[in-house]
């Protein structure tokens, strides 16, 4: 494993993408930018601060009519762990936090300024770009601050097909990138994906609900190493294993800072 | 590299997914099943046999109004290489073949029989599931039989966003899986993705056109090892590098054979 990682890091160290703040070199994810600050706010339990998103944005990780009873059950389970009873019957924050999810990355950012206005206006987050409930990626992520883990309940819609009846390997990779990226962003602030290695063990049936669990391996300077696995919802069957490396970046330019 | 691969193969050898024809263990891709036979037919130049697809299926790799001039230019270039002039002015097959692309995997297959009829009926191939031209994955693949390579021209639509203005790492992984899987399927027959390792070097701008090129590394028994890279359309900028392993499978059960 060490040799493997050392080899991979060899790819990264000398690359110009790590020397400066060129906007063209940015590749961070969904909610990374606001997670760190969100966890320090006094926002209501289970709903973290929406900054830097619009306060009226729809949270796509809320239950909808397409969710299967199993999806809803697992959601309810983790949601209940977001608060815990104190001795006198009051409730306080539990070990888990629900991560809200929107269909557009930071709207106020200058990222994408090189794009045509039309593409900029129509751009939507890949994992939230399917309009019909249940057709694409239905998922909700929870983060455990103390354990430094992230769990995602994922229901794979009918538009994600690869082989007949099974979820496309690229759709699974997309969810692994999303879940590991969310945890890396929470732990290390703004990051970008440097590598993603996936071992596919058994396919995921279209329409089924799986758990995607990511844990911190270690942090070395600007590098955050994570592990991830996709299992059946009861954890008994392993579908995919993955390792990922995220590298911290400066996103000052996204908010108008001059680099 | 060898040690890395040996470690990975260690994951695969003993796994039950390689012992039998359990449909639940199938994970092959898009066009793998018909490519081998297609290349042996006498179908028109640049249009391979549609079997086992319906003859009336729409080929999604045909040019449409969303294609940028650059996308069209590269398509025209490779398309022209699908035939060559002979001495007397006639045309015969060139070194490249265009790979047709549909929005549903084999319709007649029994794969997915465990799914609800509704999900089965509505299922669509992930990379072709965006209805609006240009909104999702616009791509066309060409295979070079002699060089054992596959090239894909990919225009990334506005619904594939990750970081603001850039393509989601999962969307890039999806295309790498698609391109390497197509080449592996052509070379080795029905296969499934065993591993996929991606190094992200620089992000891809939303709306831009990139080249995805895959080449055969080697075949060892049932294992087909491939490399892949994503570059700017002129080849000057490297966006992503990848290695992939595909394992040959028996898909007799897909066509009703009893295992």
């Amino acid at each position: 494993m060490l040799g493997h990682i050392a080899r991979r890091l060899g790819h990264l160290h000398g690359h110009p993408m790590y020397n400066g703040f060129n906007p063209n070199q940015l590749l961070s994810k969904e909610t990374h930018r606001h997670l760190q600050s969100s966890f320090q706010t006094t926002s209501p339990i289970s709903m973290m601060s929406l900054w830097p998103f619009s306060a009226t944005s729809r949270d796509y990780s809320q239950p909808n009519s397409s969710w299967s009873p199993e999806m809803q059950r697992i959601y309810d389970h983790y949601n209940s762990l977001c608060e815990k009873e104190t001795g006198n019957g009051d409730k306080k924050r539990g070990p888990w936090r629900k991560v809200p999810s929107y269909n557009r990355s930071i709207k106020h950012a200058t990222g994408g300024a090189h794009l045509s206005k039309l593409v900029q206006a129509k751009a939507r987050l890949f994992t939230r770009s399917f309009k019909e409930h249940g057709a694409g990626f239905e998922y909700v992520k929870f983060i455990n601050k103390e354990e430094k883990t992230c769990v995602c309940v994922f229901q794979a819609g009918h538009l994600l097909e690869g082989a007949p009846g099974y979820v496309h390997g690229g759709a699974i990779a997309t969810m692994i990138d999303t879940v590991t990226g969310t945890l890396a962003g929470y732990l290390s602030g703004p990051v970008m994906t440097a590598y993603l290695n996936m071992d596919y063990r058994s396919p995921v049936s279209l329409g089924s609900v799986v758990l995607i669990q990511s844990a911190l391996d270690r942090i070395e300077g600007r590098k955050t190493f994570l592990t991830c696995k996709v299992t059946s919802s009861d954890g008994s069957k392993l579908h995919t294993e993955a390792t990922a490396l995220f590298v911290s970046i400066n996103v000052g330019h996204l908010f108008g800072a001059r680099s």
Side-chain angles (χ1 to χ4, degrees), chain A residues 22-40:
Chain A
N22 181 350
N24 289 324
Q25 297 168 343
L26 175 70
L27 185 67
S28 74
K29 293 291 174 305
E30 197 168 354
T31 52
H32 302 183
R33 277 77 48 175
H34 77 304
L35 275 172
Q36 284 284 14
S37 59
S38 299
F39 276 85
Q40 292 154 13

Side-chain angles (χ1 to χ4, degrees), chain A residues 7-239:
Chain A
R7 187 180 62 78
R8 289 306 181 106
L9 290 182
H11 289 310
L12 304 174
H13 280 309
H15 197 272
M17 83 194 315
Y18 298 101
N19 305 319
F21 309 142
N22 181 350
N24 289 324
Q25 297 168 343
L26 175 70
L27 185 67
S28 74
K29 293 291 174 305
E30 197 168 354
T31 52
H32 302 183
R33 277 77 48 175
H34 77 304
L35 275 172
Q36 284 284 14
S37 59
S38 299
F39 276 85
Q40 292 154 13
T41 66
T42 54
S43 54
I45 286 172
S46 297
M47 281 296 293
M48 303 191 303
S49 163
L50 297 179
W51 181 90
F53 299 94
S54 160
T56 57
S57 292
R58 172 186 158 199
D59 177 4
Y60 281 72
S61 64
Q62 292 293 93
N64 66 55
S65 59
S66 79
W67 284 22
S68 67
E70 187 182 15
M71 176 90 175
Q72 184 70 48
R73 182 182 58 75
I74 301 172
Y75 170 81
D76 290 341
H77 169 71
Y78 281 100
N79 213 28
S80 73
L81 297 177
C82 291
E83 55 182 19
K84 55 183 176 187
E85 301 248 347
T86 58
N88 56 14
D90 290 342
K91 290 179 177 179
K92 66 170 192 174
R93 278 193 165 186
W96 291 89
R97 293 285 179 282
K98 181 183 164 190
V99 183
S101 177
Y102 309 96
N103 72 348
R104 184 76 215 271
S105 306
I106 314 169
K107 285 185 181 177
H108 318 295
T110 57
H114 57 290
L115 304 179
S116 75
K117 290 291 175 200
L118 185 65
V119 170
Q120 259 192 305
K122 294 169 79 180
R124 292 293 175 272
L125 184 69
F126 182 38
T127 55
R128 297 300 188 187
S129 62
F130 294 87
K131 283 186 181 168
E132 184 191 347
H133 280 169
F137 300 92
E138 289 290 339
Y139 65 96
V140 52
K141 294 173 286 190
F142 295 89
I143 279 185
N144 189 309
K145 188 176 179 178
E146 289 168 22
E147 295 178 359
K148 296 179 180 174
T149 56
C150 183
V151 63
C152 173
V153 199
F154 168 43
Q155 180 177 297
H158 56 266
L159 296 186
L160 308 184
E161 192 176 50
Y166 297 100
V167 182
H168 198 290
I172 293 170
T174 298
M175 285 308 302
I176 289 174
D177 190 25
T178 297
V179 175
T180 53
T182 296
L183 181 58
Y186 167 63
L187 295 171
S188 302
V191 292
M192 55 173 290
T193 318
Y195 73 62
L196 207 54
N197 298 332
M198 275 151 310
D199 284 327
Y200 294 99
R201 304 314 185 100
S202 65
V204 176
S205 291
L206 220 54
S208 67
V209 175
V210 293
L211 283 183
I212 307 173
Q213 293 170 285
S214 180
L216 175 67
D217 178 6
R218 66 192 188 284
I219 295 175
E220 292 176 359
R222 297 172 60 215
K223 302 185 187 79
T224 304
F225 297 83
L226 302 145
T227 60
C228 190
K229 62 178 180 177
V230 182
T231 66
S232 55
S233 58
D234 65 357
S236 66
K237 184 170 188 171
L238 179 63
H239 290 295

